[in-house]
Amino acid sequence: MGTVGWLARRHIRHRAVALTALALIAALGTAGTLVAAGAAQRTAGAYTAYRRHAEVSDVVINPSLVSSDIDRAIRALPGVISVTSDALLNGGVDHDVHPRTQAEIDADPTQILTRSSTDGRYLTMDRPALTQGRLPSGDHEALVTVELAKAEHIAIGDVLPFSFWSRRTELIGETGPLPPVGVEHVKVVGIATMPDEVLPDGLYPRQTLILSPDIGARYDCLPDQPPRDTSLEETILQMAPEACATSYRYYSIAVQGGDKGVTAVLEAFNAAAAKLTAELPQGLQDMQVGYTLVAKTTTAEEERRVERSTQPIVVALDVLALAAGAVTAFVVGLGLSRELLRAGDDQVMWWRLGLTRRERVPILALPVLAAVAAGLLAGAAGAWVLSPVGPVGNVRSIAPSPGREMAGQTWLVLVALAAVLIGIAVWSSWRSARRVGIPVPHPVSSAPRRLPRSGSPALIEGLRSAYRTRRGAGLVLASGGAAVAVFVAALVFGVSLTSLLATPRSYGWSWDVATIDNFGYGGIRLDAVRTTVEGRDDIARWTALGFSNSTTLDGDPVPSVLAFDTSSDVDIAVVQGRLPRADGEVALGARTAAERGIAVGDSVKVTGYEVPARSATVTGLVVLPALGPFRADRTAPGIGMLVPEAMLDREQLPQLVSFVGIGLRPGTDRAAAFASLRAEFATWDDSELTTFDLAGPIRPAEIIDARSMRVSPLLVGGLLVAGATIGLAIGIAMSVRARRRDLGVLRVLGFTGRQLRGSVLVQAVASVAGGVVVGVPVGVVVGRLAWQGFASRLGVVTEPSTPVLWIAVTAVGAIVVALAAAALPARSAARSNPSSLLLATGG
């Protein structure tokens, strides 16, 4: 073993430069693979980790009425482990502190959602994900959400004047100016993302402010429920004290069994709410006011929404990690093969010394194993440094400053990649050492038959050398092809993604301007809309839609868009089939259909509050816009159901229209048209409810996620291209070095230094050109397939793009890299004398 160890160490010293380059290639490839795998893992697990760390509850409910009676009933529900609550207060930042009318308070769509808890919500349960600062636990402190901080330019340390209004004036219908019941100055100590605000919402404002418990104790109230014989006026006075600013109360509940126990708790709440409602004063019952589940948010539903948004990204990153690992194994394997091939002369010496094959294998394997191991360790270290790249997308908001870590799936990927690379090294060493007798160090080359036989000698010899076997040509061709394929695939995917983001119709938004009424709960009059649009020559088409969260598909709730196709032009993009028009027809988002195994032409059962129960035929797969009611589940490009007007309950039709999208004629000034239409939007609802006017597309969470993921593929692709480029440069240098004997012969035969240099440059360019010829089509195919898979998971309608200009630039860049890599060897060959070249190879 002493002789074998000495020879192995000598071989390592003799091949130190080549082995270092091999280790660098392995390091870059390993880092790229682990960065992609780590980003996928951290993205997939971000919300679950946050939920556990922040102690997010299982369900949040709003019982509508606020009273100590419903409070006690909720806390005593069977299966409840713990309960905290917070009050939604009537108030807002008011720098002028002036009286406001109730109409002004109600109609302000940018009014801040002001919340405060006196029993620990946001401090011990449902803790926000802090971006800066800390939670508000002291006197006169506040935490603002990221959206509010951006909208109002609020920073840590700012002091905000905050006004509060009593809810009593709202209930008794006061119309005059209302003085605030209190004004407080609060100091901002934190900026954060709320547990239910992980996914972005460009449709409705989510500007939330959390006040410290001491402020909540002043303006929150929990009155007792009046006796049944109490008059309506007395009831209002008792349930809405004058100094009370509480509008609603939300209860955050942790239940036994977690997500599985939520249904039983909600059923128990409904029973308790019905019992207490029957005991309310008759005046409230006559007004059909009572305790009811106005809104509920289950963490399981939120987790599914987050998973639905991040799934395409996670899959894309996993595929990227797999591709990076495969390319790494391929390029490293080629480098190993070339390195072992160059050990042929040494094997002759070892054979002459009497070493057996079993003894020669470790001499060959130990150096390359050392290089591979060093590369794996360096790549793992690099991946650890770059690990804060993940999580990617919207879930980044709940991990704004992720630490460096490698765990779980990332370690498994590292072990798998190490096993593959080590296996390749051992197998290649065993195969290389299997020769018996003296190997031929310089076999006769087999140049392609169609190479030119006349013309420039430098050109002919360069082309012959480029395609000779066992002289580095395989490594150069493969490295060049791999580098080009990786880069072209990344280009195709990136340009396709850019095209999607620049084409709103692809992800469900087909309009130039739009309005949504009453927080998505209906109220727009179609006759008023028609009167407006028919009197304008700048409008080309318009679409009226409604929304439903009560519609079920084969018994499962599915967010739905209600299409008023007989009254308007429903402009919804179709992936497959056609839009539904008749009674008994619906269309589905592609992901909704795939998750349920439904195809175009299948029959399904549809029912709901707005849709009488019946069977329907699926006429198509469509791309639905990200629209729906406030704080409720919504449709997305591949999620949801489209229900035509013919399927709707005729009695409900007048109150269902919530959205109108308008397509302008080409050449119309969008800004001017939007400004003039805003005045009309407010007249379409007689109740003068709040409207949200939209001058641009609403991007769903999935599209925003896709936009934000571009950094990871670019980083991983850059590492792979760097590794492949290093392999390319090393391959060119090795192949030129292997030609030293031929170059010496050519110099003896009369080649000038310029001709030798030209021959080497031609060899490099020809080798890389072959890689370009192979790599470009492979990269285009891989990029298009990757994009099609990604787009199908998003449920969008878009074709992959082929950036011909950028591909041409890539090909030229590969040639430039080849010339740069060959410049030094070419100059060295041109300056060397024939005797040194021949002696260096034993000639």
Side-chain angles (χ1 to χ4, degrees):
M1 185 63 187
T3 302
V4 171
W6 179 81
L7 289 172
R9 289 193 297 273
R10 178 182 178 277
H11 189 56
I12 290 176
R13 289 194 300 269
H14 182 62
R15 305 295 306 146
V17 175
L19 292 174
T20 300
L22 186 63
L24 184 57
I25 295 172
L28 290 170
T30 299
T33 303
L34 297 183
V35 166
Q41 181 187 14
R42 298 185 83 168
T43 301
Y47 188 79
T48 301
Y50 164 67
R51 174 183 177 182
R52 182 172 56 251
H53 171 73
E55 298 187 50
V56 178
S57 61
D58 297 304
V59 63
V60 177
I61 63 174
N62 172 7
S64 182
L65 290 181
V66 177
S67 75
S68 60
D69 299 74
I70 194 66
D71 183 89
R72 286 191 296 269
I74 291 173
R75 297 177 189 275
L77 291 174
V80 169
I81 298 174
S82 60
V83 179
T84 59
S85 65
D86 73 298
L88 179 65
L89 303 174
N90 285 335
V93 176
D94 192 349
H95 295 284
D96 296 327
V97 192
H98 63 277
R100 303 169 68 190
T101 65
Q102 189 63 49
E104 289 176 329
I105 298 172
D106 293 338
D108 183 5
T110 61
Q111 185 180 2
I112 297 171
L113 298 175
T114 309
R115 315 186 77 145
S116 183
S117 173
T118 58
D119 60 5
R121 192 179 185 200
Y122 307 127
L123 296 177
T124 62
M125 183 184 287
D126 296 344
R127 287 188 291 270
L130 287 167
T131 301
Q132 300 178 46
R134 59 177 176 82
L135 297 174
S137 56
D139 292 336
H140 285 75
E141 293 182 345
L143 175 145
V144 298
T145 58
V146 174
E147 292 186 18
L148 176 57
K150 290 181 178 178
E152 299 291 336
H153 306 289
I154 297 173
I156 298 291
D158 288 353
V159 176
L160 307 177
F162 211 85
S163 302
F164 297 89
W165 284 272
S166 173
R167 193 187 181 193
R168 175 184 295 186
T169 52
E170 174 187 349
L171 295 175
I172 63 179
E174 289 275 359
T175 57
L178 309 174
V181 296
V183 177
E184 307 287 346
H185 288 76
V186 296
K187 181 179 180 180
V188 177
V189 297
I191 299 174
T193 297
M194 302 297 290
D196 58 351
E197 294 182 354
V198 175
L199 300 182
D201 190 338
L203 190 59
Y204 302 111
R206 299 192 309 179
Q207 299 174 11
T208 303
L209 183 143
I210 307 297
L211 295 170
S212 52
D214 63 307
I215 301 294
R218 296 186 184 185
Y219 299 99
D220 185 14
C221 62
L222 196 61
D224 294 333
Q225 177 176 308
R228 185 166 183 175
D229 58 355
T230 305
S231 67
L232 181 59
E233 182 179 354
E234 292 175 337
T235 298
I236 293 176
L237 294 177
Q238 181 172 335
M239 297 195 72
E242 186 173 358
C244 175
T246 301
S247 178
Y248 287 105
R249 184 174 298 276
Y250 293 83
Y251 290 86
S252 182
I253 306 172
V255 304
Q256 295 176 0
D259 299 335
K260 296 180 180 178
V262 168
T263 300
V265 168
L266 293 180
E267 290 176 352
F269 167 79
N270 287 330
K275 181 179 179 181
L276 286 174
T277 298
E279 298 172 358
L280 284 171
Q282 190 62 45
L284 291 181
Q285 295 191 43
D286 292 342
M287 298 170 60
Q288 296 184 336
V289 173
Y291 301 104
T292 184
L293 202 59
V294 171
K296 69 176 178 67
T297 303
T298 68
T299 302
E301 291 173 352
E302 187 68 14
E303 195 159 14
R304 282 192 291 270
R305 290 180 65 230
V306 173
E307 180 183 356
R308 191 173 69 199
S309 171
T310 58
Q311 184 188 36
I313 294 178
V314 172
V315 172
L317 289 172
D318 281 335
V319 171
L320 181 61
L322 180 62
V327 171
T328 300
F330 178 65
V331 175
V332 170
L334 289 170
L336 286 170
S337 298
R338 178 56 192 165
E339 178 58 27
L340 293 171
L341 178 64
R342 294 202 62 207
D345 292 336
D346 290 335
Q347 286 208 64
V348 174
M349 179 184 66
W350 302 336
W351 180 80
R352 286 173 175 168
L353 290 174
L355 271 66
T356 65
R357 177 186 180 187
R358 190 181 297 274
E359 292 172 315
R360 294 198 303 271
V361 168
I363 300 175
L364 291 170
L366 287 176
V368 293
L369 284 174
V372 169
L376 288 168
L377 291 174
W384 178 80
V385 171
L386 296 173
S387 60
V389 167
V392 176
N394 297 314
V395 293
R396 182 81 178 192
S397 64
I398 52 177
S401 300
R404 293 184 172 88
E405 67 172 18
M406 282 180 57
Q409 175 181 311
T410 312
W411 283 113
L412 293 177
V413 172
L414 176 60
V415 170
L417 184 59
V420 171
L421 295 182
I422 292 172
I424 291 174
V426 172
W427 178 81
S428 299
S429 301
W430 180 262
R431 183 173 178 272
S432 178
R434 72 183 179 180
R435 302 180 183 86
V436 178
I438 303 176
V440 179
H442 299 295
V444 178
S445 64
S446 57
R449 298 178 180 179
R450 295 185 180 180
L451 286 176
R453 299 182 181 275
S454 61
S456 169
L459 174 63
I460 294 172
E461 286 303 318
L463 291 175
R464 288 180 184 277
S465 299
Y467 296 104
R468 282 178 180 172
T469 59
R470 305 186 67 179
R471 294 240 176 143
L475 178 59
V476 175
L477 284 170
S479 298
V484 171
V486 168
F487 197 71
V488 169
L491 277 177
V492 170
F493 189 93
V495 172
S496 300
L497 177 57
T498 300
S499 176
L500 169 65
L501 297 174
T503 313
R505 180 178 171 78
S506 297
Y507 54 80
W509 193 267
S510 305
W511 310 282
D512 296 303
V513 298
T515 185
I516 187 167
D517 181 70
N518 189 24
F519 291 88
Y521 288 98
I524 293 178
R525 292 185 296 108
L526 283 177
D527 58 337
V529 179
R530 192 176 297 108
T531 299
T532 297
V533 299
E534 289 179 354
R536 299 179 64 107
D537 57 6
D538 55 352
I539 296 178
R541 65 190 187 284
W542 62 284
T543 300
L545 302 174
F547 314 119
S548 172
N549 287 101
S550 68
T551 309
T552 63
L553 173 67
D554 289 337
D556 294 329
V558 174
S560 299
V561 170
L562 313 178
F564 289 82
D565 48 283
T566 63
S567 307
S568 65
D569 179 16
V570 175
D571 193 4
I572 301 289
V574 178
V575 178
Q576 180 184 347
R578 62 173 178 83
L579 292 175
R581 294 289 184 185
D583 189 7
E585 293 183 348
V586 296
L588 302 178
R591 289 176 63 187
T592 295
E595 289 169 359
R596 292 164 173 76
I598 299 173
V600 174
D602 287 354
S603 180
V604 295
K605 293 182 179 179
V606 180
T607 188
Y609 175 74
E610 303 89 349
V611 184
R614 71 192 69 186
S615 295
T617 300
V618 177
T619 65
L621 304 181
V622 294
V623 183
L624 294 169
L627 295 170
F630 181 62
R631 288 192 176 272
D633 200 10
R634 304 190 196 140
T635 58
I639 301 296
M641 178 165 57
L642 181 67
V643 181
E645 189 173 347
M647 286 277 288
L648 303 178
D649 185 341
R650 309 308 297 178
E651 294 182 0
Q652 302 291 334
L653 283 180
Q655 59 188 13
L656 294 181
V657 179
S658 301
F659 170 89
V660 174
I662 294 174
L664 301 174
R665 295 190 184 279
T668 300
D669 185 331
R670 178 183 296 192
F674 178 66
S676 63
L677 281 168
R678 293 194 72 177
E680 302 288 347
F681 292 160
T683 66
W684 293 351
D685 186 338
D686 292 335
S687 61
E688 298 182 356
L689 295 170
T690 301
T691 64
F692 296 88
D693 305 328
L694 309 169
I698 298 299
R699 294 184 176 89
E702 294 85 344
I703 297 301
I704 297 175
D705 267 341
R707 183 178 184 178
S708 64
M709 71 166 284
R710 289 183 290 185
V711 174
S712 296
L714 287 176
L715 176 59
V716 175
L719 292 172
L720 291 178
V721 169
T725 301
I726 291 172
L728 172 64
I730 293 172
I732 290 174
M734 285 182 175
S735 62
V736 172
R737 182 177 175 85
R739 287 185 63 201
R740 288 179 300 173
R741 180 183 179 86
D742 293 345
L743 293 172
V745 172
L746 292 173
R747 190 62 176 264
V748 170
L749 293 176
F751 265 54
T752 64
R754 181 177 181 181
Q755 287 176 313
L756 289 177
R757 184 169 59 251
S759 175
V760 171
L761 294 177
V762 168
Q763 174 192 350
V765 171
S767 298
V768 173
V772 170
V773 170
V774 174
V776 166
V778 170
V780 169
V781 171
V782 170
R784 290 176 70 89
L785 289 175
W787 173 253
Q788 288 171 346
F790 183 73
S792 66
R793 287 187 173 275
L794 284 178
V796 298
V797 52
T798 181
E799 291 297 322
S801 302
T802 304
V804 177
L805 178 59
W806 283 108
I807 291 175
V809 171
T810 301
V812 173
I815 301 298
V816 171
V817 170
L819 290 172
L824 184 59
R827 185 171 58 180
S828 177
R831 291 180 176 179
S832 300
N833 59 62
S835 60
S836 64
L837 290 171
L838 293 172
L839 288 173
T841 58

